[in-house]
Amino acid sequence: RKEVEQDPGPFNVPEGATVAFNCTYSNSASQSFFWYRQDCRKEPKLLMSVYSSGNEDGRFTAQLNRASQYISLLIRDSKLSDSATYLCVVTRGSGGGADGLTFGKGTHLIIQP
Amino acid sequence: EPEVTQTPSHQVTQMGQEVILRCVPISNHLYFYWYRQILGQKVEFLVSFYNNEISEKSEIFDDQFSVERPDGSNFTLKIRSTKLEDSAMYFCASSPVGGETQYFGPGTRLLVL
């Protein structure tokens, strides 16, 4: 069974701190990798795509290690608005164009004032 | 900014009844998807759709489920005879290119009594 594993948390972090999450995935056929965030009872929203070379978007840095099948997310200078569930997501690797996504259960982050 | 829309936002139905969940994907997107999220659990892939046919489906997407693109804008998910365990949030998503970012609608919360 193709899974994505994440530490569910919650991570309780003071405002302004740096926090790191990671996940592992089991499907070596996955081709695309993402972090989504999900607020309570809302839809998943793309935070960023993840590339092997590593990529940064403002306070967020993501990294992919394909050999270890490991994905990470670093949030610097955390804000109260960063409180959410962070979903590690990979493509199912079906080989077709309309490749579905496999989601982790998410890591719950709470930023405390 | 264009977005995926879904109707209704909430639906309550009796076990054994048929329901149709509606989605309007982003207008220039070619790939369409349905996912579900049972309360407290992870988001699960149901089906992907491209070029007016199913591209991939998961083991959840059994004969009770069907999808259709009845016109140039709508994408529907039909559950023929609902069961209690079909109670979940159903998300529609679309992407412009296969394997790339999927944009999610706000979801339809289905409750089967």
Side-chain angles (χ1 to χ4, degrees), chain A residues 88-105:
Chain A
C88 182
V89 183
V90 309
T91 49
R92 285 164 56 91
S94 62
D99 205 357
L101 300 176
T102 300
F103 284 76
K105 291 189 78 171

Side-chain angles (χ1 to χ4, degrees), chain A residues 92, chain B residues 45-48 54-61 63:
Chain A
R92 285 164 56 91
Chain B
F45 169 74
L46 294 178
V47 66
S48 61
I54 288 175
S55 187
E56 184 192 3
K57 57 185 180 179
S58 72
E59 59 277 5
I60 302 168
F61 193 88
D63 292 344

Side-chain angles (χ1 to χ4, degrees), chain A residues 57-93:
Chain A
D57 182 2
R59 298 182 292 108
F60 300 86
T61 301
Q63 192 79 46
L64 166 66
N65 183 323
R66 294 192 80 138
S68 304
Q69 296 184 189
Y70 174 96
I71 305 167
S72 65
L73 176 68
L74 183 78
I75 306 174
R76 288 180 299 278
D77 187 24
S78 52
K79 313 285 184 200
L80 295 176
S81 57
D82 294 333
S83 297
T85 298
Y86 289 82
L87 308 176
C88 182
V89 183
V90 309
T91 49
R92 285 164 56 91

Side-chain angles (χ1 to χ4, degrees), chain A residues 1 3 32 34 36 38 41-44 46 49 87 91-92 94 96-101 103-105, chain B residues 31 33 35 37 39 42-43 45 48 50 55-58 89 91 98-102 104-106 109:
Chain A
R1 189 163 179 160
E3 298 285 355
S32 299
F34 310 92
Y36 279 75
Q38 186 174 31
R41 296 178 178 268
K42 300 284 191 181
E43 74 272 25
L46 179 72
S49 301
L87 308 176
T91 49
R92 285 164 56 91
S94 62
D99 205 357
L101 300 176
F103 284 76
K105 291 189 78 171
Chain B
Y31 297 82
Y33 312 83
Y35 294 83
Q37 186 174 30
L39 189 63
K42 64 182 178 181
V43 177
F45 169 74
S48 61
Y50 170 70
S55 187
E56 184 192 3
K57 57 185 180 179
S58 72
M89 180 75 97
F91 293 111
E100 293 302 320
T101 303
Q102 295 180 24
F104 284 74
R109 186 168 297 281

